[in-house]
């Protein structure tokens, strides 16, 4: 078990591994610069409770560590006192990450150097653009990789599924006409939408069965682990290649998050209300007032609509659109609300405080009703950002046919068809983890990058900290 501090105190007798304090500080500039990390005192690297002997394992650090010079470094602090470390899941997750990353390094070479003061010293050298020694590079790289992997639920999920099944093997077993993707001379994958659509549709039909999810709802689930992992690896492929690498979409996402957080932050009264609720709300029974929640939501709505106007709406001209519901097969009404209007604009979801939603959810976006049902707020704006992002995904997916190849913003709206693939199999949570691939949904990957609901930090936390620093 990895030992950590909880609320500033060690959670038990240290048995080695990471002993992490209540704060982790790292820096990043425009999501490109290397992550700079500060981790508390390390008492030694243990893997599965045993001192790791990895002297025969090393890697060419020079080929993977690029210490950046002349680059502005913006300090970002993430408070880990209670939100991230107060659960067994968080501690186990750190242990898994340390075990995984340790396999790549000669731990005997750096284990005695892994101290708080030494890591801070190296971080300062990087910030000043100074040359690092080979050992410093390796140490810096190790800590960097540990924190990146821990804080990225998305990266952890991708790593896990890629261990289970090889997408190249899946693709190579298909005929040339059926290939999910081809690889160009630069090693880039070129995905074939039609083939992926056909493959997923047939595969899901043949390899899923009806079963109950953890909330007692009858859903389709993969019939076994292999079936689940095959769907998951294809969703992972789509997310990596067509969502994560779509620069226009990523810029759009960064901007609506940044504008929303800045708008909230610049309202001093609202900011003070949120800060107060953070201090007083120490259990899930104590909630931020409905008025404060409504104000937060209004700021996000107005900011997001401004970004959509700048990136998309202003290019429509006088075009008239078909007002789109989520499900075209159902009549528009109470159970099938419109996602967009006749002007091609997204209808922002209604926010409902609902303590009766499924026990496994803190919040949920319901596309048929176009609303976000949130059980508890408790100063957790990140949850709202996660669910609002789901609404944006559905907006692009529902309107892809109307928006594509019209010159409105072709690269941005291209994500719509890829998000729509998620409708072929919407994975839900199941008691059997082998067939529960909820976290591998294309849309869930994307919203977890905004705010991972299981712990860790996504774009919301990073941008929020950056705004607070200014």
């Amino acid at each position: 078990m990895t030992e950590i501090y909880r609320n500033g105190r060690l959670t038990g007798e240290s048995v080695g591994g990471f002993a992490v304090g209540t704060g982790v500080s790292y820096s990043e500039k425009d999501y490109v610069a290397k992550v700079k990390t500060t981790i508390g005192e390390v008492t030694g690297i243990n893997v599965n409770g045993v001192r790791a002997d990895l002297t025969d394992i090393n890697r060419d650090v020079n080929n993977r560590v690029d210490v950046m010079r002349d680059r502005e470094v913006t300090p970002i602090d993430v408070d880990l006192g209670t939100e991230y470390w107060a659960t067994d899941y968080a501690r186990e997750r750190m242990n898994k990450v340390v075990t995984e990353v340790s396999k790549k390094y000669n731990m005997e070479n750096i284990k005695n150097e892994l101290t708080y003061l030494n890591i801070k010293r190296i971080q300062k050298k990087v910030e000043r653009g100074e040359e690092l020694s080979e050992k410093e590079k390796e140490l810096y790289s190790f800590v960097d990789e540990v924190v990146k992997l821990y804080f990225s639920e998305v990266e952890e999920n991708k790593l896990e599924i890629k261990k289970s099944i090889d997408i190249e093997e899946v693709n190579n077993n298909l005929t040339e006409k059926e290939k999910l993707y081809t690889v160009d001379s630069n090693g880039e994958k070129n995905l074939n939408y039609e083939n992926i659509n056909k493959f997923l549709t047939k595969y899901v039909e043949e390899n899923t069965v009806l079963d109950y999810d953890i909330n007692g709802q009858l859903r389709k689930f993969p019939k076994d682990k292999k079936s689940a992992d095959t769907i998951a690896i294809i969703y992972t492929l789509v997310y990596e290649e067509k969502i994560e690498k779509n620069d226009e979409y990523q810029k759009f996402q960064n901007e609506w998050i940044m504008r929303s957080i800045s708008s909230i932050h610049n309202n001093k009264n609202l900011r003070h209300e949120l800060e107060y609720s953070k201090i007083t709300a120490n259990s899930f029974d104590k909630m931020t007032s409905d008025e404060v929640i409504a104000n937060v939501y209004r700021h996000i709505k107005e900011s997001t609509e401004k970004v959509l106007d700048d990136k998309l709406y202003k290019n429509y001209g006088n075009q008239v659109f078909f007002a789109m519901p989520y499900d075209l097969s159902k009549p528009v009404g109470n159970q099938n609300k419109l996602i967009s209007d006749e002007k091609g604009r997204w209808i922002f979801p209604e926010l409902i405080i609902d303590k009766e939603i499924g026990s496994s959810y803190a919040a949920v976006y319901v596309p048929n009703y176009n609303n976000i049902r949130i059980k508890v707020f408790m100063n957790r704006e990140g949850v709202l950002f996660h669910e609002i992002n789901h609404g944006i995904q559905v907006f692009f997916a529902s309107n892809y046919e109307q928006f594509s190849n019209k010159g409105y913003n072709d690269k941005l709206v291209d994500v719509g068809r890829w998000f729509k693939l998620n409708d072929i199999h919407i994975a839900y949570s199941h008691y059997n983890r082998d067939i529960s691939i909820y976290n591998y949904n294309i849309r869930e990957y994307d919203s977890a990058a905004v705010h991972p609901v299981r712990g860790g930090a996504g774009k919301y936390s990073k941008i929020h900290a950056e705004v607070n620093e200014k």
Side-chain angles (χ1 to χ4, degrees), residues 62 65-69 121-122 124-134 136-137:
N62 290 323
V65 178
D66 179 21
V67 179
M68 296 190 174
R69 296 173 178 273
R121 179 185 62 80
I122 295 172
K124 292 296 183 183
K125 287 184 69 173
V126 172
E127 292 175 1
R128 292 192 298 264
E130 297 176 8
E131 192 78 24
L132 298 187
S133 69
E134 293 306 308
E136 287 173 333
K137 286 181 181 180

Side-chain angles (χ1 to χ4, degrees), residues 322 324-332 336 368 420:
F322 179 73
M324 289 296 296
Y326 173 66
D327 190 345
L328 280 171
S329 67
K330 295 180 180 178
V332 175
N336 193 29
N368 281 337
K420 197 165 182 62

Side-chain angles (χ1 to χ4, degrees), residues 178-302:
E178 296 172 329
K179 295 290 185 191
L180 306 179
Y181 64 88
T182 57
V183 181
D184 64 23
S185 58
N186 295 320
E188 296 292 325
K189 293 185 178 73
N190 297 311
L191 273 56
N192 187 311
Y193 175 84
E194 288 74 18
N195 284 354
I196 292 175
N197 194 347
K198 289 177 184 177
F199 179 90
L200 275 173
T201 300
K202 182 178 179 182
Y203 193 88
V204 168
E205 183 179 347
E206 295 176 350
N207 293 278
T208 56
V209 294
L210 287 174
D211 201 351
Y212 291 96
D213 68 12
I214 61 176
N215 292 310
Q217 298 294 315
L218 197 60
R219 313 284 194 187
K220 277 190 175 182
F221 285 94
K223 63 183 181 182
D224 52 33
K225 185 175 183 344
K226 181 181 178 182
S227 301
D229 289 352
T230 299
I231 297 169
I233 196 64
I234 294 172
Y235 277 179
T236 302
L237 170 73
V238 170
Y239 171 71
E240 283 188 320
E241 299 296 327
K242 291 300 181 179
I243 308 300
E244 201 172 38
K245 290 184 179 180
N246 185 321
D247 293 340
E248 191 66 23
Y249 177 71
Q250 294 301 322
K251 289 176 184 176
F252 160 76
Q253 189 176 77
N254 290 344
E255 189 169 341
W256 76 258
I257 296 171
M258 173 66 83
R259 283 201 187 187
S260 298
I261 293 172
S262 297
S263 180
I264 294 167
H265 179 83
N266 291 335
N267 186 312
K268 291 183 179 180
N269 290 335
L270 179 57
R271 187 170 79 244
H272 291 156
E273 288 276 2
L274 290 171
E275 289 170 355
Y276 177 75
S277 68
K278 188 172 186 178
I279 295 171
T280 59
N282 54 13
S283 76
F284 279 102
D285 295 325
K286 295 182 179 180
M287 292 169 49
T288 309
S289 72
D290 290 354
E291 182 181 356
V292 173
I293 297 172
N295 281 335
V296 168
Y297 206 60
R298 176 177 59 80
H299 280 276
I300 300 173
K301 177 179 183 292
E302 291 174 356

Side-chain angles (χ1 to χ4, degrees), residues 5-56:
Y5 286 90
R6 184 179 297 175
N7 296 330
R9 296 178 178 272
L10 198 59
T11 56
E13 183 180 355
S14 180
V15 294
F18 273 100
V20 183
T22 59
V24 168
S25 170
Y26 60 101
S27 300
E28 189 169 5
K29 182 65 177 175
D30 295 330
Y31 304 104
V32 175
K34 293 287 291 180
V35 177
K36 320 300 188 291
T37 309
T38 300
I39 291 186
E41 185 76 1
V42 176
T43 59
I45 299 300
N46 284 16
V47 179
N48 296 329
V50 179
R51 178 77 55 159
D53 181 9
L54 302 172
T55 54
D56 293 331

Side-chain angles (χ1 to χ4, degrees), residues 68-83:
M68 296 190 174
R69 296 173 178 273
D70 303 322
R71 185 67 66 94
E72 180 184 348
V73 177
T74 306
I76 299 177
D77 293 319
V78 178
D79 180 11
L80 304 183
T82 56
E83 185 176 356

Side-chain angles (χ1 to χ4, degrees), residues 380-415:
R380 296 178 66 193
E381 305 102 290
V383 174
L384 278 182
F385 281 75
H386 177 105
E387 300 302 334
I388 288 168
N389 192 67
H390 279 319
I392 292 170
Q393 296 160 353
V394 171
F395 166 67
F396 283 125
S398 300
N399 285 283
Y400 174 72
E401 296 298 331
Q402 295 195 99
F403 292 168
S404 64
N405 302 314
K406 304 291 195 310
Y408 304 143
N409 189 333
D410 292 340
K411 188 168 184 181
L412 173 62
V413 302
D414 185 63
V415 297

